[in-house]
Amino acid sequence: MRERQVFMRYIDLHVHSNASDGTLCPAEVVALAIEKNLAAIALSDHDTVRGVTEAIAAAQGADLEVIPATELSCYYQGIEIHILGLFVDYQNPEFLAELNGLEHARFQRNLDMIALFQKNGIAMTLEELQAGNPDSVITRAHFARVLVQKGICKDKNAAFERYIGVGCPYYLPKPQVTPEISIPMITKAGGIPILAHPMLYHMGYKQVEELIQYLIPLGLQGIEAYHSSNYAQQSDKLRSLAYKYDLVVSGGSDFHGANKPDIELGSGRGGLRVTEHILKQIKERRGNM
């Protein structure tokens, strides 16, 4: 008797919409995920869960699980790091109030950056950054888009390198939120805190391990070992670190639509493959918390 083959579908646990700095609305992200036959996506916009309700509604009746999530920015030893919160209670009043506080601080920083551009003769308005979506959480990617549209920069990389990257003339740091704030925010909202894309912080493996050791007592539960920016050996090393410290492994494309045109939903830059098995392990960890 032949054994029945079980086909594992793929998932994407790091996805952005125009609720922050993606270009597709949440319903469009869901439609694309269904088109690609993904089993699950985590809508993880920056410092907000505003798009989750729309995404869940758009997935009704489809064979797609939408996981409510967010991506919080914080600082460790002067380095900006990101913590994904998977399965957060996106209707929790206390959590929403804390997110609103982060959003307000980010909004004031954006106003200060706009004023800095205007002071130096570069036209920049909040309306241009919002591009018709006043509910969007504005990030530096929005500034880069406007600089390209105005012909000031040839592309977004040039905008970051010359104008808005760390140490550049128009860069202003975000409020110094720490992991001591962001990780408990996620856990109190019932979420699973995951260290996002560790290899993007320009740290060596020893420094990444020290960061993980620092975050575990605060409640860290996992590492995003699979990401569009990783080489295979980097993912292998991060998986080993997760195993060493009894952390779950997560993975996602960091899809942003046209703002990162080389990154496809579900497959990243072509080689990303995150299976349902990863999600099963995360759910098991959640059930044991």
Side-chain angles (χ1 to χ4, degrees):
M1 181 177 177
R2 293 176 59 187
E3 292 187 6
R4 182 172 64 90
Q5 286 185 302
V6 177
F7 294 97
M8 195 73 73
R9 294 166 67 202
Y10 297 123
I11 62 175
D12 192 336
L13 301 183
H14 191 158
V15 176
H16 294 272
S17 74
N18 68 353
S20 63
D21 56 346
T23 56
L24 300 183
C25 72
E28 290 171 326
V29 172
V30 167
L32 184 58
I34 293 170
E35 178 185 322
K36 291 178 175 289
N37 194 33
L38 296 180
I41 61 169
L43 191 68
S44 48
D45 282 307
H46 294 282
D47 298 339
T48 187
V49 288
R50 191 175 288 124
V52 170
T53 298
E54 179 185 334
I56 290 175
Q60 289 293 318
D63 189 16
L64 173 73
E65 180 178 1
V66 174
I67 297 163
T70 189
E71 183 176 10
L72 302 184
S73 301
C74 54
Y75 287 86
Y76 163 81
Q77 296 183 355
I79 299 170
E80 182 177 331
I81 66 170
H82 293 174
I83 307 294
L84 289 167
L86 302 181
F87 291 102
V88 290
D89 179 357
Y90 65 100
Q91 297 174 318
N92 181 288
E94 182 180 351
F95 182 58
L96 292 176
E98 291 177 310
L99 287 178
N100 285 338
L102 295 179
E103 186 176 340
H104 176 76
R106 184 191 282 266
F107 182 73
Q108 184 57 53
R109 175 245 201 167
N110 291 331
L111 293 181
D112 292 342
M113 286 180 66
I114 290 170
L116 190 56
F117 276 105
Q118 292 175 342
K119 178 182 177 182
N120 289 289
I122 299 176
M124 183 77 66
T125 67
L126 181 61
E127 290 73 23
E128 287 175 316
L129 296 170
Q130 291 171 331
N133 182 15
D135 291 330
S136 177
V137 175
I138 301 299
T139 69
R140 283 183 291 156
H142 294 79
F143 283 90
R145 172 182 53 77
V146 172
L147 289 169
V148 173
Q149 288 175 343
K150 290 179 177 293
I152 296 170
C153 297
K154 66 176 182 179
D155 55 34
K156 291 177 181 176
N157 287 337
F160 275 88
E161 290 170 3
R162 294 177 53 201
Y163 289 85
I164 56 175
V166 176
C168 292
Y170 299 92
Y171 171 80
L172 293 177
K174 281 178 280 194
Q176 294 284 313
V177 177
T178 65
E180 285 83 356
I181 295 172
S182 57
I183 291 179
M185 272 181 63
I186 292 167
T187 53
K188 284 189 298 183
I192 304 286
I194 305 286
L195 177 62
H197 43 60
M199 304 316 300
L200 288 184
Y201 306 136
H202 305 293
M203 296 178 178
Y205 289 122
K206 181 181 179 182
Q207 290 174 297
V208 169
E209 185 166 5
E210 289 171 352
L211 170 61
I212 290 166
Q213 291 171 338
Y214 180 82
L215 297 178
I216 286 173
L218 302 178
L220 186 74
Q221 294 293 326
I223 303 172
E224 189 176 47
Y226 302 103
H227 184 267
S228 294
S229 64
N230 288 1
Y231 295 110
Q233 60 267 34
Q234 292 174 321
S235 292
D236 289 344
K237 181 66 175 179
L238 292 172
R239 271 204 330 270
S240 297
L241 286 173
Y243 179 78
K244 180 177 180 178
Y245 291 101
D246 189 30
L247 299 170
V248 294
V249 166
S250 186
S253 65
D254 210 351
F255 174 76
H256 282 71
N259 278 341
K260 293 185 179 180
D262 58 330
I263 295 177
E264 293 286 340
L265 183 67
S267 57
R269 293 189 171 97
L272 190 71
R273 298 292 185 270
V274 185
T275 68
E276 292 175 285
H277 178 67
I278 295 290
L279 181 56
K280 180 175 181 290
Q281 292 179 322
I282 293 172
K283 288 180 175 179
E284 289 173 354
R285 174 61 61 94
R286 184 178 178 226
N288 293 330
M289 286 177 62

